[in-house]
């Protein structure tokens, strides 16, 4: 949960960094674009001012020419048509921007140069013509130059008119004479001020003005590329009017490529910063997790060491007690060999103490094997009626001795299931023996085995409920009940010997079988343990097992059999030889595998009936010796070989069989076990 919260916090922080970086970079790009636009506007302003200055300069040039005619009239001379034509011809420029010179006495055109092509304008009353009267009257009334147009000329084409009002003194009073007019060809005027060159240097433009009648915007010149947006505007003062010059770069103040590049840069930089931050946070998180894991591992190691230390302290008394009994009773046995009953009692107590030490070793090894993952299930047909009878037989002496009430109930519909009989038996033996051990005299122990439905088809679930009225366990200890090497009380406190490994083994085996275990306990009131194990259904009893159960007691048939033993430990060899001979068998001892093979070669075929082979021996180990024997010719190579070794696990048995052996006897062994294995191998 804490790890998920940290990851969520990391994601939130990364999102915050993403948006913060996005805002900052967008702000930077915006400021950069603003700066770029400002520079572009300054450049455009310079270009626009240059164009406006050119327009004003050209118009002023035309006014000078118009003033020449005006000055002649105002000086009192009457200009004849011939004089007017000569004077106008002298003023006409090469570019022919001024298309015609006109004089309009009292506002009506009466002289035109050149007349050819402009006849339609002759006699036009400027003060009354609907298209020209506004500008004409403005020029007359204001006595200032006024420009009109552009509009369609009477003589054809598009042009504009420059009205220059003429006044003269008459009887001490200014009197309106008329106009000196210049007809300017609009297209040639546009060419002269080089507006089209603006397009060549990357600008769109438009010139507009407001009509005198309505104030409406009217475009008087524009590039051919359509509408303009976000333009910069510069006012252009023309005679008695104002034109507005708009200009904008063709790609906008900030080009689309630059804007797109800026935004791509924003996204890329934001992603890179966010990824960098995420990598930093992830590395820091991993370092933190690693540090926590190291701390956790160190703490677990410390706890494990503390648990093992506690185990050693708890076990110290339990180990020393049987060891002390074995040593003490051995000394007493030596002193009282002649007293049969006392000697028998001492031997029984030595055997009991030895049995406890062996169970302690087996528990530790079993736990180590489970933890290493080497424990496997040997599936076979199980019959729980037999298990019930076995439990009753095993625990009957202990129950009778303590005067306990013991009850074992079996309530199942399917009698045969597939399971690992040995491990199921081990689970129940551990739990039930604990109940018997920790239940005071006069108490009760009950075992109930019930069948429950299972969701998996072809499977059943068995519920094992073991209840006792023993000393129970405290609520504080229950969470630690399945921890290895832990005991709530030492044997000194509880007066009961124990290793602290029984229940951990039970839990490990239960989980190995995909089962579950629950424990309820109360100090002084007893304990209830519920175990659930799933089993696959079996059709009936195992034929091989039925065959084993049907064997008669063949111990008598082993008498006289000759056994060859390979054992490097002299004490172990002496014990085994003595036990075999006491059972009526003949036994010979060799000290290693090599000597065993050579002895077998020297003797006649069929001289020995079986070989008992230790595994770990000098010169040639048991596996190598078995291989060498199997390569011998004749019946020697087929002689039964049984491993007799301290390698006691199931995988050791499988390894022995894979090496060519016929059976496996684990040390320390019981005589009955050894005879059973010999029977199976020989008969």
């Amino acid at each position: 949960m804490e790890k998920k919260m940290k990851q969520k916090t990391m994601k939130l922080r990364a999102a915050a960094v993403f948006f913060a970086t996005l805002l900052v970079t967008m702000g930077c790009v915006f400021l950069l674009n603003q700066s770029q636009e400002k520079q572009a506007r300054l450049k455009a302003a310079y270009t626009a001012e240059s164009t406006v200055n050119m327009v004003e300069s050209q118009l002023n040039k035309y006014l000078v020419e118009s003033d020449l005619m005006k000055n002649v009239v105002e000086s009192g001379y009457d200009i004849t048509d011939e004089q007017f034509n000569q004077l106008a011809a002298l003023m006409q420029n090469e570019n022919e921007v001024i298309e015609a010179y006109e004089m309009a006495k009292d506002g009506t055109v009466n002289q035109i140069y050149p007349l050819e092509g402009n006849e339609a304008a002759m006699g036009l009353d400027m003060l009354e013509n609907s298209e020209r009267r506004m500008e004409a009257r403005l020029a007359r009334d204001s006595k200032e130059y006024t420009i009109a147009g552009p509009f369609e000329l009477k003589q054809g084409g598009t042009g504009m008119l420059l009205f220059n009002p003429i006044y003269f003194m008459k009887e001490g009073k200014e009197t309106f004479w008329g106009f000196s007019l210049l007809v300017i060809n609009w297209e040639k005027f546009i060419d002269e001020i080089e507006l089209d060159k603006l397009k060549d240097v990357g600008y769109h433009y438009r010139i507009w003005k407001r009509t005198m009648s309505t104030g409406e915007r009217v475009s008087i010149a524009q590039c051919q590329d359509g509408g303009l947006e976000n333009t910069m505007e510069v006012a252009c003062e023309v005679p008695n009017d104002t034109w507005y010059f708009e200009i904008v770069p063709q790609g906008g103040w900030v080009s689309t490529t630059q804007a797109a590049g800026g935004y791509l840069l924003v996204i890329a930089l934001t992603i890179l910063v966010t990824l960098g931050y995420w990598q930093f946070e992830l590395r820091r998180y991993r370092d933190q997790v690693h540090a926590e894991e190291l701390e956790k591992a160190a703490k677990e190691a410390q706890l494990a060491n503390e648990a093992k230390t506690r185990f050693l302290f708890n076990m110290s008394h339990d180990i020393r007690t049987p060891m002390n009994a074995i040593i003490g009773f051995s000394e007493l046995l030596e002193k009282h060999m002649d007293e049969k009953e006392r000697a028998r009692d001492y031997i029984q107590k030595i055997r009991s103490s030895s049995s406890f030490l062996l169970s302690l070793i087996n528990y530790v090894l079993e736990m180590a094997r489970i933890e290493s993952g080497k424990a496997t299930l040997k599936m076979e047909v199980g019959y729980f009626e037999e298990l019930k009878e076995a439990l009753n037989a095993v625990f009957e002496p202990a129950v009778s001795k303590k005067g306990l009430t013991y009850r074992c109930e079996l309530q199942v519909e399917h009698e045969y299931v597939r399971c690992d009989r040995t491990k199921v038996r081990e689970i129940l033996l551990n739990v039930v023996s604990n109940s018997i051990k920790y239940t005071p005299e006069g108490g009760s122990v009950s075992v109930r085995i019930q069948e429950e439905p299972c969701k998996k088809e072809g499977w059943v679930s068995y519920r094992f409920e073991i209840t006792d009225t023993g000393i129970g366990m405290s609520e504080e200890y229950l969470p630690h009940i399945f921890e290895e090497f832990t005991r709530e009380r030492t044997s000194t406190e509880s007066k009961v010997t124990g290793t602290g490994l029984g229940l951990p083994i039970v839990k490990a085996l239960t989980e190995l079988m995909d089962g579950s275990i629950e424990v309820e306990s109360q100090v002084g009131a007893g304990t209830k343990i519920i175990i659930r194990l799933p089993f696959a259904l079996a059709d009936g009893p195992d034929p091989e097992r039925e065959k084993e159960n049907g064997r008669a007691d063949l111990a008598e048939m082993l008498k006289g059999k000759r056994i060859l033993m390979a054992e490097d430990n002299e004490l172990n060899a002496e014990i085994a030889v003595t036990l075999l001979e006491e059972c009526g068998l003949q036994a010979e001892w060799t000290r290693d595998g090599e000597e065993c093979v050579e002895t077998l070669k020297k003797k006649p075929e069929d001289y020995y009936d079986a070989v008992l082979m230790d595994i770990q021996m000098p010169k040639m180990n048991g596996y190598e010796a078995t291989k060498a024997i199997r390569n011998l010719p004749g019946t020697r190579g087929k002689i039964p070989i049984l491993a007799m070794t301290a390698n006691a696990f199931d995988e050791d048995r499988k390894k022995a069989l894979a090496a060519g052996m016929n059976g496996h006897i684990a040390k320390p062994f019981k005589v009955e076990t050894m005879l059973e294995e010999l029977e199976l191998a020989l008969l």
Side-chain angles (χ1 to χ4, degrees), residues 519-584:
V519 180
E520 301 175 10
S521 188
Q522 188 175 349
V523 176
T527 302
K528 178 193 290 186
I529 296 180
I530 299 174
I531 300 171
R532 289 183 172 86
L533 297 175
F535 300 118
L537 293 174
D539 296 332
D542 190 342
E544 188 63 28
R545 178 167 171 79
E546 289 294 311
K547 181 179 178 182
E548 291 178 11
N549 293 337
R551 284 199 182 101
D553 184 9
L554 302 176
E556 290 295 324
M557 297 181 64
L558 291 175
K559 287 185 179 181
K561 297 293 184 181
R562 190 175 284 110
I563 308 298
L564 178 62
M565 179 185 302
E567 171 63 66
D568 64 324
N569 187 286
E570 186 174 349
L571 182 60
N572 287 341
E574 182 180 351
I575 293 171
V577 169
T578 302
L579 291 174
L580 287 170
E581 289 178 347
E582 286 183 353
C583 293

Side-chain angles (χ1 to χ4, degrees), residues 33 71 197 378 571 614:
N33 289 342
N71 291 334
K197 287 187 177 181
K378 181 183 178 182
L571 182 60
D614 189 19

Side-chain angles (χ1 to χ4, degrees), residues 39-288:
Q39 292 179 4
R41 284 182 178 275
L42 288 174
K43 183 179 178 182
Y46 174 79
T47 303
E49 291 290 347
S50 299
T51 304
V52 167
N53 290 336
M54 187 176 295
V55 171
E56 292 176 346
S57 175
Q58 289 299 322
L59 290 176
N60 288 333
K61 177 182 175 182
Y62 303 150
L63 287 173
V64 171
E65 296 182 3
S66 177
D67 281 342
L68 182 60
M69 295 291 187
K70 175 182 177 180
N71 291 334
V72 171
V73 174
E74 287 181 344
S75 64
Y77 290 101
D78 289 330
I79 301 177
T80 64
D81 292 339
E82 184 179 353
Q83 291 174 332
F84 173 76
N85 290 337
Q86 290 177 351
L87 186 59
L90 290 174
M91 292 190 297
Q92 194 167 22
N93 60 358
E94 296 178 357
N95 296 332
E96 297 182 351
V97 177
I98 300 176
E99 190 171 303
Y101 296 87
E102 297 179 353
M103 298 297 289
K105 188 176 181 180
D106 297 326
T108 302
V109 177
N110 60 342
Q111 290 178 319
I112 301 175
Y113 178 84
L115 180 60
E116 185 179 356
N118 297 307
E119 294 87 350
M122 186 65 75
L124 181 64
D125 188 350
M126 298 293 180
L127 295 174
E128 297 300 330
N129 184 268
S130 60
E131 294 182 359
R132 297 163 177 78
R133 64 186 177 188
M134 294 289 294
E135 290 82 355
R137 291 179 182 181
L138 176 63
R140 182 194 64 183
D141 297 340
S142 64
K143 302 177 184 179
E144 295 180 358
Y145 305 108
T146 303
I147 195 164
F151 41 63
E152 294 295 325
L153 299 173
K154 290 294 183 180
Q155 59 269 40
T158 303
M160 62 181 182
L161 299 177
L162 181 62
F163 290 92
N164 195 349
I166 301 174
Y167 282 82
F168 66 95
M169 297 299 295
K170 184 178 181 180
E171 299 178 358
K173 182 180 178 181
E174 282 188 336
T175 302
F176 176 69
W177 181 87
F179 300 105
S180 172
L181 294 170
L182 295 180
V183 179
I184 300 173
N185 186 299
W186 181 250
E187 293 180 358
K188 292 181 178 181
F189 174 74
I190 293 298
D191 291 339
E192 190 174 47
I193 61 177
E194 299 179 340
L195 278 180
D196 286 341
K197 287 187 177 181
L198 292 175
K199 183 178 180 182
D200 297 336
V201 294
Y203 288 101
H204 294 316
Y205 68 89
R206 176 170 55 202
I207 302 176
W208 62 275
K209 69 174 187 176
R210 297 188 183 277
T211 60
M212 291 186 179
S213 57
T214 62
E216 182 182 357
R217 288 173 55 131
V218 177
S219 178
I220 58 178
Q222 183 173 341
C223 62
Q224 298 177 355
D225 294 324
L228 287 79
E229 295 180 358
N230 193 24
T231 59
M232 186 182 69
E233 186 177 273
V234 178
C236 178
E237 298 297 331
V238 297
N240 223 2
D241 200 356
T242 302
W243 289 355
Y244 297 94
F245 182 74
E246 291 182 346
I247 188 171
V248 64
Q250 293 177 0
W253 301 110
V254 178
S255 67
T256 304
T257 303
Q258 182 178 347
Y263 288 116
L264 286 175
L265 178 63
V266 167
I267 294 171
L269 188 59
T270 301
I271 292 174
L272 286 175
V273 170
T274 305
L275 287 176
Y277 175 79
W278 177 256
Q279 290 296 325
F280 168 75
E281 281 289 331
L282 193 60
R283 189 178 300 110
R284 189 174 70 171
Y285 170 74
R286 286 173 178 170
D287 291 342
Q288 184 178 357

Side-chain angles (χ1 to χ4, degrees), residues 17 69 74 115 126 131-133 197 200 220 239 254 331 344 347 377 396 407 416 460 504 513 515 553 636 664 682:
V17 168
M69 295 291 187
E74 287 181 344
L115 180 60
M126 298 293 180
E131 294 182 359
R132 297 163 177 78
R133 64 186 177 188
K197 287 187 177 181
D200 297 336
I220 58 178
V254 178
E331 292 176 353
R344 185 181 291 111
I347 292 171
L377 297 176
E396 183 178 356
R407 183 174 68 257
Y416 297 97
V460 293
M513 299 181 192
D553 184 9
R636 288 189 182 90
H664 181 274
L682 295 174

